[in-house]
Amino acid sequence: MRNGESCEDALSYLPCSRIAAYRKGDIIYDHHQASGFIYLVIDGKVKISRIADNGRQVIVDIFQPDEFFGESAFLGLAERPEQAIAIEDTRLMTWSAADLEQHILKEPRLGIALLQVTVQRVLDSIYRIESFSADSIAQRLARSLIRFSERLGEEEQDGVVRMLPFTHETLAQYVGTSREIVTHWMARLKRDGCIRYSRRGIMLSREKLRNWMESAPKDVAPPEVESAASG
């Protein structure tokens, strides 16, 4: 969370609850299930996504240890508006929305802490919408890599950041384009010395990516890539 040092820590107000384990690829919940629980990641990582009207999966975000998700449970909807999938072996602590409401009545600072988490996510969504409006796909991809490196990466001594090996399909679902176009721009970023990647992970330089964004091409991709994506 940005400026997290000035925000309440929800974890300090929450009682322990039951822990559930999920294997990589397990569905934690999907949009067919009722909204009943809020989750805290203990170990692993979880991908939250929505299904667009055209059937394409759109990634909302990826959550790591000490982060909450599933706050739509507070709305009491008959179905979840999103789905959650473990992208690593994962352990989650869960609370029902009703239980958390009772805890908030006893400890109002918990309500403030959860509200701050929600507001920060709204701000992040606004920044992302601005990027969709103002940036080319190449710039959105670079900006997304920087954001994921800040949230999920580990900085090495030389300033290079190492993070988990996102597939091009996963990046495409987050950026809002096709896998073919992401593959094109990832190869371009690698050729320009901004990133290195393999099945073991992605290594990048935020400074080089930021500089690259300043001169990134405004077109979506070369015609042959567009044709492959739409074919």
Side-chain angles (χ1 to χ4, degrees):
M1 180 180 293
R2 295 187 181 93
N3 301 320
E5 65 277 2
S6 63
C7 294
E8 294 285 349
D9 180 11
L11 299 182
S12 64
Y13 301 116
L14 278 169
C16 291
S17 182
R18 73 180 186 90
I19 294 178
Y22 297 86
R23 302 296 298 272
K24 179 179 179 180
D26 283 353
I27 296 175
I28 299 162
Y29 62 76
D30 61 26
H31 56 277
H32 297 300
Q33 297 176 330
S35 300
F37 292 90
I38 290 87
Y39 301 81
L40 173 70
V41 182
I42 304 298
D43 297 305
K45 291 182 178 63
V46 175
K47 176 180 73 174
I48 306 297
S49 61
R50 299 175 67 106
I51 305 300
D53 291 341
N54 62 4
R56 175 176 292 180
Q57 185 177 169
V58 179
I59 293 178
V60 176
D61 214 337
I62 293 174
F63 295 100
Q64 60 182 337
D66 295 338
E67 292 185 336
F68 294 92
F69 67 92
E71 59 271 25
S72 61
F74 284 118
L75 298 178
L77 302 174
E79 296 181 348
R80 291 269 186 181
E82 74 275 336
Q83 64 179 6
I85 298 175
I87 58 175
E88 297 177 355
D89 290 349
T90 298
R91 293 191 306 143
L92 305 174
M93 188 171 288
T94 64
W95 297 267
S96 71
D99 284 344
L100 277 187
E101 289 173 3
Q102 291 300 313
H103 291 310
I104 290 171
L105 291 175
K106 297 175 184 177
E107 181 49 80
R109 302 307 300 180
L110 171 59
I112 296 296
L114 293 175
L115 179 61
Q116 288 172 336
V117 170
T118 302
V119 170
Q120 182 61 63
R121 290 181 183 174
V122 170
L123 292 176
D124 288 343
S125 295
I126 291 173
Y127 298 142
R128 192 172 171 190
I129 291 170
E130 289 176 349
S131 179
F132 271 90
S133 301
D135 294 340
S136 67
I137 288 180
Q139 290 169 320
R140 294 208 309 266
L141 175 60
R143 199 178 300 280
S144 298
L145 288 170
I146 291 172
R147 179 177 185 271
F148 282 135
S149 76
E150 291 172 341
R151 295 191 62 248
L152 308 172
E154 296 183 3
E155 191 164 350
E156 306 283 325
Q157 290 184 348
D158 57 1
V160 172
V161 180
R162 181 190 301 273
M163 61 182 184
L164 70 160
F166 290 111
T167 66
H168 291 184
E169 181 66 27
T170 295
L171 289 171
Q173 290 170 353
Y174 186 81
V175 172
T177 186
S178 69
R179 179 185 56 78
E180 292 84 359
I181 292 176
V182 164
T183 296
H184 166 78
W185 287 119
M186 289 291 283
R188 172 71 177 269
L189 286 168
K190 185 176 183 179
R191 186 168 68 247
D192 291 346
C194 298
I195 65 172
R196 303 195 304 272
Y197 59 88
S198 67
R199 292 184 177 181
R200 298 180 61 184
I202 299 174
M203 299 186 70
L204 59 85
S205 165
R206 294 182 189 130
E207 181 179 1
K208 289 182 179 180
L209 275 174
R210 291 189 180 101
N211 291 336
W212 189 88
M213 280 195 297
E214 295 298 321
S215 58
K218 296 296 182 181
D219 56 314
V220 174
E224 65 272 15
V225 177
E226 289 280 20
S227 298
S230 59

